[in-house]
Amino acid sequence: MPQEKLILDGSRVAQDIKDRLYPRVERLAANGVVPCLATILVGDDPASATYVRMKGNACRRLGMESVRVDLGKDTTTEQLLETIRRLNEDPAVHGILLQHPVPHQIDERAAFDAIQPEKDVDGVTTLGYAQTAFGFADYPSCTPAAIIAILDYYKIPIEGKHAVVVGRSPILGKPVSAMLLNRNATVTVCHSKTKELDRIVGLGDIVVAAVGKPRFIQGGWLKEGAVVLDAGYNEGNVGDVDYEACLAKASAITPVPAGVGPVTIATLLKHTVDAAEKYGIAANES
């Protein structure tokens, strides 16, 4: 009898996270604090604008505040840093998100690291990455945290499993590798220079696709029964795995859309509420 496939429904996981946030937001409001996320969009990339709008709408549906800052595509690093400094100093803002990527003339790492650690709800600072690696980050990068949340929600074991992560970005591939390692998985990190990638992916009990290339991971690469988490989102609403081919081999898989993406946004909201609880009430009383 063919094995039943488990579709890892990110919308369901995200709703569970948000359901637990509603009473927390209400308690904060009773104390005169409305959790507030500030989003910064530099330039006019339509996909980035869509992401920022989705995050703002998600805030409002939860009873949170959303402040959107739009900067022109010719913005300099110093102008962006000044915007971040202003938001750092605003006690009504509990979280700051700089939409990635930024235009080429901007020093993205300097901009990320200008975000006050207490407001780094997207887990993008160098300090935040270090804290994630050591296992005590308040706000780990949202997409890696979403991947772990999906595994936990569906009670998929991590300890003792071989996880193969395809991608090494500092806000996705590297931190999710650290988080899986901290949960006692054996982790192999692959990238564009990896030789025999198909063979290595085939060793994975858990495969995380975070390479940024549409339908890159092939079904024939997978071990029978692998758990596949697709963190990619590409033009045409497709992820980084060849979904239909991988579905045939996997025991569990995230779809695109409605997989990792909704949980990433819910995690961002959770981190913002966490920050409001930790710092907002104290600032309101001072």
Side-chain angles (χ1 to χ4, degrees):
M1 181 179 294
Q3 182 182 13
E4 186 176 346
K5 306 295 181 178
L6 177 60
I7 307 302
L8 303 173
D9 183 351
S11 298
R12 179 176 168 183
V13 181
Q15 191 59 53
D16 179 70
I17 293 170
K18 289 183 282 190
D19 285 346
R20 286 182 276 123
L21 289 178
Y22 283 113
R24 295 172 61 188
V25 172
E26 289 176 355
R27 281 195 296 271
L28 282 164
N31 283 280
V33 176
V34 179
C36 177
L37 173 69
T39 56
I40 306 170
L41 177 63
V42 186
D44 51 9
D45 179 71
S48 292
T50 297
Y51 296 149
V52 167
R53 185 170 62 250
M54 288 169 61
K55 290 161 185 171
N57 290 340
C59 283
R60 284 185 285 275
R61 285 194 292 269
L62 203 61
M64 298 168 56
E65 289 288 341
S66 174
V67 174
R68 175 169 168 170
V69 179
D70 289 283
L71 300 175
K73 64 181 182 341
D74 297 324
T75 296
T76 65
T77 297
E78 186 50 48
Q79 288 169 329
L80 176 55
L81 293 179
E82 179 55 37
T83 297
I84 293 170
R85 280 192 286 268
R86 176 171 55 81
L87 294 170
N88 281 338
E89 293 167 3
D90 186 345
V93 172
H94 304 107
I96 300 171
L97 178 136
L98 172 60
Q99 184 63 43
H100 169 88
V102 294
H104 65 89
Q105 77 275 8
I106 288 175
D107 183 339
E108 183 177 77
R109 178 44 50 194
F112 280 152
D113 283 343
I115 298 171
Q116 190 172 301
E118 294 82 2
K119 298 188 179 187
D120 177 27
V121 293
D122 200 26
V124 296
T125 62
T126 302
L127 176 62
Y129 172 74
Q131 290 175 333
T132 296
F134 278 101
F136 59 83
D138 286 331
Y139 318 120
S141 296
C142 288
T143 301
I147 288 168
I148 300 297
I150 291 169
L151 291 170
D152 286 346
Y153 181 88
Y154 283 99
K155 297 181 171 56
I156 294 171
I158 299 174
E159 183 169 336
K161 301 299 183 181
H162 186 176
V164 176
V165 178
V166 186
R168 54 175 170 174
S169 82
I171 58 175
L172 210 178
K174 287 179 180 177
V176 79
S177 300
M179 294 173 78
L180 289 163
L181 188 62
N182 289 338
R183 293 285 295 271
N184 296 322
T186 299
V187 181
T188 300
V189 182
C190 305
H191 47 78
S192 59
K193 308 296 184 187
T194 300
K195 298 184 185 302
E196 299 185 69
L197 180 60
D198 56 342
R199 182 186 64 80
I200 296 171
V201 170
L203 300 174
D205 303 304
I206 298 170
V207 175
V208 177
V211 72
K213 295 183 178 181
R215 299 191 179 97
F216 181 73
I217 305 296
Q218 301 298 301
W221 298 0
L222 297 179
K223 171 193 289 190
E224 192 73 41
V227 175
V228 180
L229 296 120
D230 188 349
Y233 186 78
N234 304 283
E235 189 174 348
N237 279 351
V238 298
D240 287 357
V241 308
D242 184 340
Y243 181 78
E244 293 300 331
C246 287
L247 178 63
K249 292 287 286 292
S251 61
I253 189 170
T254 56
V256 175
V260 174
V263 189
T264 297
I265 293 177
T267 301
L268 178 67
L269 301 179
K270 177 185 177 297
H271 288 173
T272 304
V273 173
D274 289 344
E277 288 177 339
K278 194 167 185 178
Y279 302 106
I281 291 177
N284 196 50
E285 290 174 347
S286 62

